[in-house]
Each structure stands twice: as C-alpha cells, then as structure tokens.
Amino acid sequence: MTAPTLSPAAEAARAGDEPRFLAALCAPPERRERLFALVALNLELARIPVTVSEPMLGEIRLQWWRDALEDLFERGRAAGHEVIAALAAAAPPDPAPLYEMVEARRLALAPGGLSESDLEAFLAGTAGALMRAEVQALGGGAKAEEAAALAGWAEGAGRLVAALPAMMAEGSAPFDETAAREGAALRARLAALAQEGLARLARARALRAEVPRAARAPLLSAHVAERALRAAIRPGYDPFAPDAPSPFRLRGGLLLRAAFGRY
C-alpha cells in the first residue's frame, strides 16, 4: 500500500518538528492542515535568528514575514512563500498569535542572550503563541487558549533546556548573565526555569476538563518536552550531558496520551 502523500506544510512539519507533527495527526482529519501550516510557519521563523550573520539581516527577514502575514490577513493577498499559501488555505481564525510569533523572534536577535523578562516574553510569544494559534484553529474556546498558553510556555522551556548543549557549543547561550552560563549558576537558572515550566504545565492539565477533546491535540507535544524539565530539577543534573530517551518511547507516550485525551 502506498503511503499517503503529505502536503508541503505537513512534510516540513514532519521533517522539522516531529513532536508537533505527531500531535497534529491526532487532530480531526479535516483540520490537520491548519496545524501543519502553523508548525511550518514556526519552523521558518525559528531558523532566522540562528542562520543570519548579523541582527539587521534577521530584522529584515522577520519584517518580510510580518509584511507577508499582514498582506494575507489584512489585504487578502497570499504570495511569496508556500507557507503563506498554506496559511491562506488553512485559514487560521486569528492572526494575533502569528504576529506575536514574529515579534518574539526579534528578542533572539539581540547579542548577549535573554534577560529574565525577555525570556518570559520569548517563550510566551514563540511556543506559547504557536499552541494558542493551533487551539484556535481547532475551535477551542477561551479556557482552551489559556491551557495552550500555559502548556506552550512549558514546552518551549523544555525544548530550550534540551537544546542548551548545542546552543552553547555554537556560542549562542540563551541567558544574558555571564555567571549563568556555566557551573552551579547555570544549573540553578535551568532548575528555576524547569520548575516554572512544570508548574505551568500542571495548571494547563488542571484545565483539561474545560478543553474540548477535539482541541486537545496541540497540547500533546508538551509531554515530549516535559522529560527535559523533570531532568533539570534533579540533583546532580548535568546540562551538558542530557538524557537521550528513545524516540520510540517519546512517540509512544504522546500517542498513548492522545488515545485517552490526556495531554
């Protein structure tokens, strides 16, 4: 039997962000393309700060995306990129989270890392805004969006913790304080971030009964990042020797949660 052909947005999501791709597959079939388009947009935006050679070039590229989104949502013109075409076809209901996703990436362009307040805004405007947009695309109400903002922030924090070794190796430490880039100070900063992420994830789960089952799929991917958060609060945690769980175990956990509707 021939495997079904994926749309360009779905293929981009599968190749670049498997946890969110698998979560999207758990959504109602007729709405999955909306989620794939949003994940593909997030991937495009996430690449900018780590691929440009100087901040001004990143600003130019982010402004292009901002202008393209405004053309789509305010003037009905979809041109310039296949992700914009996918968004037009998927018709997300509210552009506000998408604008937030663009603006939050500007924070990552500043040299020297993120302050605590910038990190809060970055996580809320990247993973948090993405998950809110996904839940909106599935018809979730206010409580679903609240849960998505919490779980998305937690997912972003977990992904940051997991990505830290690669970031440090590339000279792009996420924190602004020099003292928080090594040793005990770094572990303490990561533990505080992880504790906050776990607290927000718990609050998101406390809202589960108020999140329509059809809108829960995007929240499933937070489970994959949760492992990194729990590791970061353990005594003796080494941020440069992170645990590397079997991808089959992580996929299985996500799909099991989907089966029971328990993000």
Side-chain angles (χ1 to χ4, degrees):
M1 180 181 295
T2 303
T5 302
L6 295 176
S7 68
E11 180 57 39
R14 185 201 62 77
D17 195 334
E18 187 182 47
R20 289 185 175 120
F21 171 75
L22 291 175
L25 289 179
C26 298
E30 68 278 8
R31 298 201 173 190
R32 289 174 189 166
E33 287 298 330
R34 299 182 181 189
L35 306 190
F36 295 145
L38 292 166
V39 174
L41 172 65
N42 183 63
L43 287 167
E44 291 293 336
L45 297 176
R47 291 188 187 105
I48 293 174
V50 297
T51 57
V52 296
S53 58
E54 56 184 88
M56 182 56 67
L57 295 176
E59 290 282 358
I60 291 170
R61 291 179 62 185
L62 286 171
Q63 189 59 47
W64 184 93
W65 282 101
R66 175 74 191 216
D67 292 344
L69 289 172
E70 289 180 355
D71 278 345
L72 173 61
F73 289 106
E74 298 175 22
R75 291 174 281 279
R77 296 200 299 265
H81 199 284
E82 64 183 16
V83 169
I84 296 297
L87 288 169
D94 180 7
L98 280 60
Y99 294 152
E100 289 178 38
M101 289 165 62
V102 174
E103 298 308 313
R105 293 293 172 185
R106 297 185 194 275
L107 296 171
L109 294 173
L114 298 167
S115 67
E116 286 195 30
S117 61
D118 281 347
L119 181 60
E120 164 70 29
F122 178 79
L123 294 175
T126 54
L130 170 60
M131 197 175 285
R132 280 171 41 225
E134 291 179 295
V135 164
Q136 287 178 359
L138 295 177
K143 287 296 183 181
E145 290 185 40
E146 180 182 348
L150 291 164
W153 196 100
E155 179 175 18
R159 285 174 177 243
L160 188 152
V161 170
L164 185 68
M167 296 175 69
M168 297 285 279
E170 295 169 356
S172 58
F175 308 129
D176 61 345
E177 303 95 329
T178 301
R181 299 185 184 192
E182 57 187 27
L186 175 60
R187 289 193 295 273
R189 183 74 184 272
L190 291 175
L193 177 64
Q195 288 281 16
E196 180 62 22
L198 290 170
R200 296 195 191 203
L201 185 56
R203 285 158 56 195
R205 287 172 173 163
L207 293 169
R208 186 170 58 232
E210 300 183 68
V211 179
R213 190 167 182 127
R216 292 179 189 175
L219 289 87
L220 294 169
S221 59
H223 163 69
V224 176
E226 181 180 6
R227 185 183 181 95
L229 296 176
R230 295 202 177 279
I233 64 173
R234 295 190 191 113
Y237 172 69
D238 183 355
F240 298 104
D243 185 18
S246 162
F248 296 103
R249 178 178 178 182
L250 293 179
R251 293 169 194 158
L254 185 153
L255 296 175
L256 185 63
R257 285 177 173 272
F260 290 95
R262 297 178 64 85
Y263 59 78

